[in-house]
Amino acid sequence: MAKSPEEMAASMKANLKEKTGKTLAQWLKIAKSAGLDKHGQLVKFLKADHGMTHGFANLVAHEHLSGGKTESSDTLIDKQYSGAKAELRPIYEALIQAISKFGGDVEISPKKAYVSLRRNKQFAIIQPSTKDRVDVGINLKGTEPTDRLEKSGSFNSMVSHRVRVTAKKEVNAQLKKWLKAAYESA
């Protein structure tokens, strides 16, 4: 079963001192002393000046800038699929059910506007873009677009392709095959 973002963060926090030589509290003091207020700047600083891996630097930056206050994954998903977009929730659930079967290393990481799907790196995103469409962004570099598997274009620069899904039945073998290929190359 895939770990939730909360479980992954808790595991990283538990291993922080062993892996980096400092506790979270010590890293938060270092982050505060840097005087940086942008996530990317702080991650870069921690990596360059303190030799942290990207994952740990991201964790410390997030904890520092959020003051430890974050919305749960469930809350983020509930907000994405509320109001006019509530009818799209079955599409999201069908996608997550299919993707979770790829392997126990799938990371499902909800953000404010979309859900990032990662293995070693991001291989796809799920975004309720309109009241009647979920966009599935997929990293399939080198794959020629088709009528259904279109180039990402201006949709999201973090993925190479996009599939527009308007009904649960469109989460079919073809879409699952593309997602599985992206997962396997991540």
Side-chain angles (χ1 to χ4, degrees), residues 125-142:
I125 65 171
I126 304 170
Q127 176 177 307
S129 296
T130 70
K131 66 180 178 69
D132 55 4
R133 187 184 78 234
V134 171
D135 285 329
V136 181
I138 308 173
N139 274 324
L140 287 173
K141 290 183 174 54

Side-chain angles (χ1 to χ4, degrees), residues 84-96:
K85 296 179 180 179
E87 299 296 318
L88 298 173
R89 184 83 180 239
I91 296 170
Y92 169 78
E93 290 172 354
L95 285 162
I96 292 299

Side-chain angles (χ1 to χ4, degrees), residues 12-13 15-16 19-20 52-61:
M12 288 180 74
K13 287 176 190 176
N15 293 313
L16 191 63
K19 300 288 185 182
T20 68
M52 289 186 97
T53 62
H54 181 80
F56 283 120
N58 186 54
L59 173 76
V60 170

Side-chain angles (χ1 to χ4, degrees), residues 1-64:
M1 185 71 173
K3 284 186 176 181
S4 73
E6 292 84 7
E7 291 168 327
M8 289 184 292
S11 175
M12 288 180 74
K13 287 176 190 176
N15 293 313
L16 191 63
K17 181 162 175 55
E18 176 190 338
K19 300 288 185 182
T20 68
K22 292 181 175 59
T23 65
L24 180 59
Q26 290 169 318
W27 281 116
L28 290 173
K29 284 181 185 176
I30 291 168
K32 184 177 182 179
S33 71
L36 301 170
D37 61 356
K38 300 263 191 228
H39 184 86
Q41 293 172 337
L42 192 50
V43 169
K44 186 176 179 181
F45 162 76
L46 292 168
K47 289 169 65 174
D49 291 17
H50 295 279
M52 289 186 97
T53 62
H54 181 80
F56 283 120
N58 186 54
L59 173 76
V60 170
H62 182 75
E63 286 291 315
H64 170 69

Side-chain angles (χ1 to χ4, degrees), residues 141-158:
K141 290 183 174 54
T143 301
E144 286 297 315
T146 67
D147 286 344
R148 186 168 187 219
L149 181 71
E150 61 190 64
K151 279 289 191 193
S152 176
S154 62
F155 163 63
N156 187 306
S157 63
M158 295 182 68

Side-chain angles (χ1 to χ4, degrees), residues 96-107:
I96 292 299
Q97 182 180 23
I99 292 163
S100 293
K101 293 178 182 174
F102 295 167
D105 58 349
V106 173
E107 297 173 21

